[in-house]
Amino acid sequence: MRKPNILLITSDQQHWNTIGAFNPEISTPNLDRLVREGTAFSRAYCPNPTCTPTRASIITGMYPSQHGAWTLGTKLLEDRQTVGALFSDAGYRTALVGKAHFQPLKSTDTYPSLESYPIMQDLDFWRTFQDSFYGFDHVELARNHANEAHAGQHYAIWMEEKGCLNWRDYFVAPTGTMDPQQRHKWPIPEELHYDAWIAERTNALLEQYREADEPFFLWSSFFDPHPPYLVPEPWDTMYDPDRLTIPEATPGEHDGNPPHFRMTQEANPDFSALKETGYGIHGYHSHVRLSDQERKQLVATYYAMTSLMDKYIGHILDKLDELGLADDTLVVFTTDHGHFFGQHGLQAKGGFMYEDLIKLPFIARYPGRIPAGHRSDAIQSLVDLAPTFLSFAGLPIPHAMTGVDQSGVWAGTKSAARDHAICEFRHEPTTIHQKTYVDRRYKLTVYYNQTYGELFDLERDPGEIRNLWDDPDSAALKSELLLKYIWAELGKESMPMPRIWHA
């Protein structure tokens, strides 16, 4: 039997309800196509609501507290076992095109980073880079979102090869000269957008693999719709801000929440007590300074970024068809974590474990193996991707991996592989350290060294407005869920090898 190809397509910071098949306010015809041709999962969760920890979990099959890349500004140590290396050892061609973010923007002697300044902009280095990177035999990388100064690596090389020697004009200082006050419309031509680069390079690799008749494990890693909110013409006018549903806080909803929720709704909150390392802490600032019109416009731009990305995902899906690879390729689309655009009065991301931030869009397609046009509420976690990919390929799953094999669930032969998900957020060593347990009905969040917490009944309160943590009538429920959470923590401990004898 032919080995299945694996194509993982990810976006970055995409809210779970931004697929046109389920939300008529947004247009995503190619993701809709995956929905029709595969199974969409409505209860998929990230293991951490920030980039580096979750992305490291995708390739290790372990939680951030286990693989060690515990927050932004850390790195996944190179000695960690990765799914790319396992596929490579099994004779697969392995590649990553787009965003990695396994390493920080700063490098030290002890913790060197290839995704840092100044090496990220040493284009001569990247032109000749042939090393394996976290088990991927071939990588083509970038690090910037929209016009961020972090542009460089293979994306910049590609722009120069396209004849755009002035590419720095489309990025802000110190890399470029673009006006940092420019909002929503990115003056870069669409044909030079990184969506076009990722699709073009992905398709070139698919052609190589088809030509050589080699199985592949390929990750196409898009950067959008992660802020800053910028999109090229004509996409910047695709959505009328005044015709979109703009989420907002429910008055009084944070009265019973931990203090950092209420502080986000202040004009000038002081979060300095949480700054343990001195580095930036995402989400801990005022979320109320945007005007109503700006709030509407950023949603319009966020949707446009998603729709533009969808176009180029379509180019990749079309290439699979053109090359006759679609029937032999397991395609998974998801994102690394969610996003706030007004829900609960919040923007972007941070230590707020609402469904908007930790639940994900998630679709799996494999003709003849995964049911088409099906929707499942079986709980998924991104930590399950690595073991599930290995299972579909008939490869052994390392004992150290703590994700679960979801292949039976994806194939429709098993109703569930897990009864809960765990999401971790350790953004500072001790001051911002929390974990969330979510099962079929309830969600519980606990904080290190704190007596406050969160308990939501997702069945009766799907909007997560009423925190039951201090509700006297819910005391027994809280005790039960705390015990289930402890069991879940015990159950996800890594066992690098089985017990093989009495002593």
Side-chain angles (χ1 to χ4, degrees):
M1 184 175 178
R2 182 178 177 85
K3 293 180 180 179
N5 306 310
I6 311 289
L7 175 60
L8 173 62
I9 304 174
T10 58
S11 58
D12 193 337
Q13 198 162 314
Q14 184 177 354
H15 190 275
W16 64 266
N17 194 28
T18 50
I19 293 179
F22 311 120
N23 179 357
E25 293 190 2
I26 189 169
S27 174
T28 57
N30 295 293
L31 293 181
D32 297 355
R33 169 183 169 187
L34 283 180
V35 170
R36 291 193 305 272
E37 297 174 352
T39 294
F41 292 90
S42 60
R43 295 294 303 279
Y45 291 92
C46 62
N48 185 291
T50 54
C51 298
T52 297
T54 275
R55 289 169 176 273
S57 289
I58 288 173
I59 63 171
T60 62
M62 303 179 79
Y63 290 85
S65 57
Q66 298 165 338
H67 59 58
W70 55 277
T71 192
L72 299 172
T74 69
K75 68 179 288 186
L76 180 65
L77 298 179
E78 287 85 353
D79 63 354
R80 300 307 193 247
Q81 186 179 55
T82 67
V83 68
L86 294 168
F87 272 105
S88 182
D89 291 344
Y92 275 69
R93 296 286 295 276
T94 60
L96 166 62
V97 178
K99 178 175 177 174
H101 204 169
F102 305 139
Q103 299 183 347
L105 287 167
K106 181 179 180 180
S107 187
T108 68
D109 291 340
T110 306
Y111 302 106
S113 172
L114 286 177
E115 298 190 63
S116 67
Y117 291 95
I119 197 169
M120 74 159 63
Q121 294 179 335
D122 182 349
L123 302 192
D124 289 336
F125 170 85
W126 291 106
R127 284 188 180 96
T128 59
F129 184 80
Q130 299 293 330
D131 294 344
S132 174
F133 190 63
Y134 291 102
F136 293 100
D137 299 328
H138 178 83
V139 292
E140 298 184 37
L141 304 176
R143 186 55 195 275
N144 58 290
H145 300 101
N147 68 340
E148 288 178 337
H150 317 318
Q153 295 172 290
H154 296 94
Y155 176 41
I157 293 169
W158 177 82
M159 286 188 284
E160 290 190 355
E161 290 173 346
K162 293 291 184 182
C164 182
L165 300 182
N166 66 322
W167 58 267
R168 292 176 182 268
D169 293 349
Y170 303 117
F171 303 92
V172 297
T175 294
T177 58
M178 183 176 163
D179 181 0
Q181 300 304 313
Q182 174 75 39
R183 296 288 186 268
H184 304 294
K185 182 168 71 175
W186 191 10
I188 194 169
E190 181 185 330
E191 60 268 22
L192 295 176
H193 192 276
Y194 44 50
D195 287 355
W197 165 63
I198 292 169
E200 180 180 303
R201 296 306 306 148
T202 293
N203 287 349
L205 289 169
L206 292 175
E207 290 174 348
Q208 291 179 27
Y209 302 151
R210 181 67 181 87
E211 175 88 14
D213 195 26
E214 295 174 311
F216 59 84
F217 173 71
L218 173 57
W219 184 358
S220 297
S221 183
F222 288 84
F223 294 83
D224 284 352
H226 188 296
Y229 301 97
L230 289 166
V231 70
E233 294 180 308
W235 301 85
D236 60 311
T237 58
M238 179 175 184
Y239 293 97
D240 181 351
D242 293 320
R243 300 186 67 179
L244 298 176
T245 301
I246 310 300
E248 58 186 23
T250 298
E253 69 168 292
H254 295 311
D255 291 349
N257 284 340
H260 59 282
F261 287 80
R262 297 190 296 274
M263 292 171 68
T264 63
Q265 305 306 296
E266 299 173 5
N268 295 290
D270 181 8
F271 286 104
S272 59
L274 299 180
K275 279 200 170 187
E276 190 174 4
T277 62
Y279 299 115
I281 47 177
H282 280 70
Y284 296 90
H285 53 78
S286 175
H287 288 246
V288 298
R289 294 181 176 178
L290 293 173
S291 68
D292 288 345
Q293 189 56 43
E294 179 65 9
R295 289 176 59 240
K296 293 178 181 180
Q297 184 60 61
L298 67 84
V299 176
T301 306
Y302 183 83
Y303 279 16
M305 294 165 76
T306 304
S307 294
L308 173 60
M309 175 183 65
D310 177 85
K311 171 183 175 178
Y312 288 93
I313 290 173
H315 288 187
I316 297 172
L317 298 178
D318 290 345
K319 179 60 70 170
L320 284 176
D321 290 341
E322 175 190 322
L323 297 173
L325 292 171
D327 287 346
D328 297 317
T329 302
L330 167 60
V331 178
V332 171
F333 171 79
T334 188
T335 193
D336 53 0
H337 55 81
H339 179 71
F340 296 116
F341 48 93
Q343 297 90 344
H344 307 283
L346 299 170
Q347 299 289 334
K349 58 191 172 191
F352 317 97
M353 307 294 240
Y354 291 115
E355 297 287 273
D356 305 285
L357 188 57
I358 69 172
K359 196 168 80 166
L360 316 167
F362 194 105
I363 313 165
R365 185 191 77 175
Y366 191 2
R369 294 286 302 278
I370 292 176
H374 183 60
R375 195 169 188 201
S376 170
D377 63 358
I379 295 175
Q380 307 287 311
S381 172
L382 295 185
V383 77
D384 302 336
L385 285 177
T388 305
F389 289 153
L390 292 167
S391 179
F392 268 102
L395 300 176
I397 299 169
H399 291 286
M401 285 189 177
T402 49
V404 302
D405 176 9
Q406 296 271 5
S407 58
V409 179
W410 294 9
T413 61
K414 189 176 179 180
S415 61
R418 57 165 66 244
D419 61 9
H420 70 274
I422 293 285
C423 187
E424 306 177 340
F425 187 65
R426 190 174 190 176
H427 206 30
E428 292 280 37
T430 65
T431 57
I432 304 177
H433 186 189
Q434 64 204 67
K435 292 189 181 182
T436 292
Y437 168 92
V438 57
D439 64 16
R440 301 285 300 178
R441 178 170 177 176
Y442 298 105
K443 178 187 289 182
L444 180 86
T445 300
V446 296
Y447 294 81
Y448 180 62
N449 282 344
Q450 300 292 343
T451 58
Y452 54 66
E454 296 142 49
L455 170 56
F456 292 105
D457 183 339
L458 298 177
E459 182 179 297
R460 293 186 176 181
D461 180 24
E464 300 174 273
I465 304 301
R466 186 175 177 229
N467 183 6
L468 302 175
W469 181 270
D470 291 322
D471 175 32
D473 293 336
S474 302
L477 172 63
K478 182 169 76 171
S479 294
E480 177 186 346
L481 291 172
L482 284 168
L483 186 57
K484 287 184 175 180
Y485 161 67
I486 293 169
W487 290 342
E489 280 292 326
L490 293 172
K492 73 178 180 65
E493 289 181 359
S494 179
M495 292 186 291
M497 66 170 285
R499 189 177 184 186
I500 59 174
W501 199 238
H502 304 294

